[in-house]
Amino acid sequence: MFRIVEKNLSVEFPWGHHLHCMVCQLPTWLSRKEHLCRLTEPTTSWEMVRSVLEMVAAGEGNLKKLHFLLFPESTVPAERVEEALDLIRHRFHNNTVTMFGVEHTTLAHYREVLERYREDNAEALAQVLEDIDAGDVEQLPANWAVIAVKEADGKVRVFLEAKSHPYFAEENPDALHDLYRGKVFPLFHCHPNPFNFMALICFDYIYRTIYRSNISVLIDKANELFFQTRQRLDLLAVLECNPKPEHRAFRDVVNGYYGEYLSQHPGVRDSITVFCNTSDETTGSGSTPEATFGRSSVIIHENHKMKQKQFAEFETDDFGGLPVCRMRFGTGTRLYYFNLPVFHELDPRTTRVPLRVHSIFQLDGSQGWQRVFSE
């Protein structure tokens, strides 16, 4: 199982007011090249990602209030990571967090990036160096993600994590099909206004052995945070490229995460879980005619009592009878901009909806984005 390390951030989120998040449900076009899952159209993929970054940087309307920007797994070409970080560094508003998945590279390349940002990734770098020293693994594929935080003073901090799930190597006897297993994942504490969040890469959310699971490690850490400080894990972001976003395994983990079976989990009871998946234009990565990419979603505890409704672009439900309220998006290429509720307890004196979609954007045909207006 992975190990959680704590990182403190100087991020001034507003007091007593909800935060804002954008889920970028973009397509990825993948194929296997020399045992790596690489983007087949890296230039097109990057242009799409950059168009979103530039729109957020411009901050028209209430986009200037954006706090969290999420891209799916394997979305950004490896050679464009520094360009993306430069755009965030020079043009993004302060107090913003951007998470994006990077296409497969070798472990040797991932180590180089860790060394470039060693100040914020000392534990992950030490673990990678230990793993390289223990065996001939430098050419293993590494599926990794970037969490870029622009703090209140404008400083950009860059955190990296590698996917811990063993990929399809579980079913393959060829060692060259192995995926490097990341073992260090950061838990972020924002100050001065306390807000705690983590990010996972897709199947990291459900990965387990017979006796333990990644999610149980996360719950234990969140409970420890609760009993020591009376704070909670406020946000869990899961960056996906998943052709089965509503697989039974995901549903089972959601049920255990928010349900109360043998005991309560106070550290995660009021967490907001955001699943950011790729759109239905995605190819590769296990895609079949029956595959259904898309279905990004937001899940909160049933205590928030959100009514079940259906709209053209999204719907709200309880994920088939689970103790949750879920906002479930469509499968198309879209940007979903919504609030993250910070009011953990339901106020019986108000009819305030805890989770509200502010804007939905679709491509306008020229690599730009236009707002969707629907009934």
Side-chain angles (χ1 to χ4, degrees):
M1 298 300 100
F2 58 52
R3 175 166 58 98
I4 296 175
V5 297
E6 300 184 40
K7 302 289 183 177
N8 290 302
L9 303 174
S10 177
V11 177
E12 295 178 357
F13 288 145
W15 292 92
H17 192 273
H18 62 248
L19 307 183
H20 294 85
C21 177
M22 178 178 282
V23 161
C24 304
Q25 189 167 276
L26 306 182
T28 60
W29 302 284
L30 299 169
S31 65
R32 288 190 60 77
K33 298 178 181 179
E34 299 178 350
H35 305 289
L36 301 174
C37 273
R38 302 302 298 269
L39 290 166
T40 58
E41 303 289 340
T43 301
T44 303
S45 296
W46 168 243
E47 289 299 325
M48 191 174 294
V49 170
R50 185 173 65 179
S51 68
V52 177
L53 295 176
E54 290 178 342
M55 183 179 77
V56 171
E60 295 183 4
N62 67 348
L63 282 180
K64 63 176 64 70
K65 297 180 179 179
L66 180 67
H67 302 102
F68 289 92
L69 178 63
L70 276 59
F71 292 91
E73 176 186 10
S74 302
T75 303
V76 177
E79 65 270 15
R80 299 289 191 172
V81 169
E82 290 304 318
E83 193 171 342
L85 291 174
D86 281 342
L87 199 157
I88 292 168
R89 189 174 289 114
H90 297 299
R91 296 184 56 192
F92 266 37
H93 295 281
N94 296 350
N95 303 306
T96 57
V97 179
T98 307
M99 310 179 194
F100 57 85
V102 183
E103 66 177 339
H104 286 192
T105 59
T106 63
L107 181 59
H109 178 267
Y110 178 59
R111 181 200 62 198
E112 292 174 4
V113 184
L114 282 171
E115 289 174 339
R116 192 177 309 143
Y117 297 103
R118 64 170 60 237
E119 181 180 355
D120 287 317
N121 297 278
E123 300 88 349
L125 176 59
Q127 183 63 63
V128 167
L129 293 175
E130 179 182 327
D131 293 338
I132 290 175
D133 183 62
D136 184 18
V137 295
E138 287 191 282
Q139 297 309 307
L140 278 182
N143 183 350
W144 50 292
V146 175
I147 300 101
V149 183
K150 190 163 187 181
E151 294 186 307
D153 62 357
K155 178 182 179 181
V156 172
R157 299 177 63 184
V158 179
F159 302 89
L160 310 173
E161 61 184 39
K163 189 172 183 176
S164 72
H165 189 271
Y167 202 45
F168 51 80
E170 288 181 315
E171 295 82 32
N172 199 302
D174 184 356
L176 291 176
H177 285 75
D178 281 347
L179 184 73
Y180 174 70
R181 303 187 186 192
K183 302 177 181 67
V184 176
F185 283 71
L187 166 63
F188 298 100
H189 303 298
C190 298
H191 305 280
N193 184 5
F195 189 88
N196 307 297
F197 68 94
M198 283 188 67
L200 300 178
I201 307 176
C202 199
F203 288 106
D204 290 341
Y205 181 72
I206 61 173
Y207 180 56
R208 67 184 184 184
T209 64
I210 293 176
Y211 301 107
R212 298 196 72 190
S213 68
N214 281 349
I215 207 67
S216 68
V217 173
L218 188 153
I219 289 171
D220 289 345
K221 185 67 177 180
N223 284 344
E224 176 185 309
L225 176 67
F226 175 81
F227 288 116
Q228 289 181 352
T229 69
R230 283 304 185 265
Q231 295 182 35
R232 301 177 172 92
L233 179 66
D234 297 289
L235 172 65
L236 175 62
V238 184
L239 311 183
E240 299 182 83
C241 178
N242 183 13
K244 297 180 180 179
E246 299 187 353
H247 192 284
R248 176 179 173 180
F250 277 80
R251 187 179 183 278
D252 288 346
V253 175
V254 168
N255 199 9
Y257 190 77
Y258 286 100
E260 298 169 3
Y261 296 113
L262 299 179
S263 62
Q264 290 192 24
H265 305 321
V268 299
R269 183 187 60 193
D270 293 310
S271 291
I272 308 154
T273 305
V274 178
F275 293 94
C276 178
N277 202 7
T278 55
S279 76
D280 57 9
E281 298 179 61
T282 295
T283 59
S285 185
S287 60
T288 67
E290 297 77 29
T292 308
F293 284 90
R295 302 296 184 191
S296 297
S297 60
V298 188
I299 299 177
I300 55 180
H301 194 272
E302 64 178 351
N303 285 349
H304 289 279
K305 293 184 169 66
M306 253 175 34
K307 292 183 179 179
Q308 298 188 27
K309 292 183 177 293
Q310 187 164 0
F311 303 92
E313 294 285 341
F314 65 94
E315 62 187 62
T316 56
D317 61 20
D318 61 3
F319 207 162
L322 300 191
V324 302
C325 302
R326 177 177 67 159
M327 182 171 285
R328 175 176 180 258
F329 300 114
T331 63
T333 299
R334 296 286 191 274
L335 310 179
Y336 300 107
Y337 184 48
F338 52 91
N339 71 285
L340 297 174
V342 296
F343 300 100
H344 298 308
E345 300 298 334
L346 183 70
D347 186 346
R349 299 165 297 176
T350 181
T351 57
R352 180 192 294 123
V353 177
L355 192 59
R356 188 188 302 272
V357 176
H358 292 295
S359 306
I360 300 174
F361 300 90
Q362 65 181 0
L363 285 169
D364 63 7
S366 59
Q367 289 296 347
W369 298 90
Q370 63 182 6
R371 188 169 179 179
V372 177
F373 293 93
S374 61
E375 297 296 330

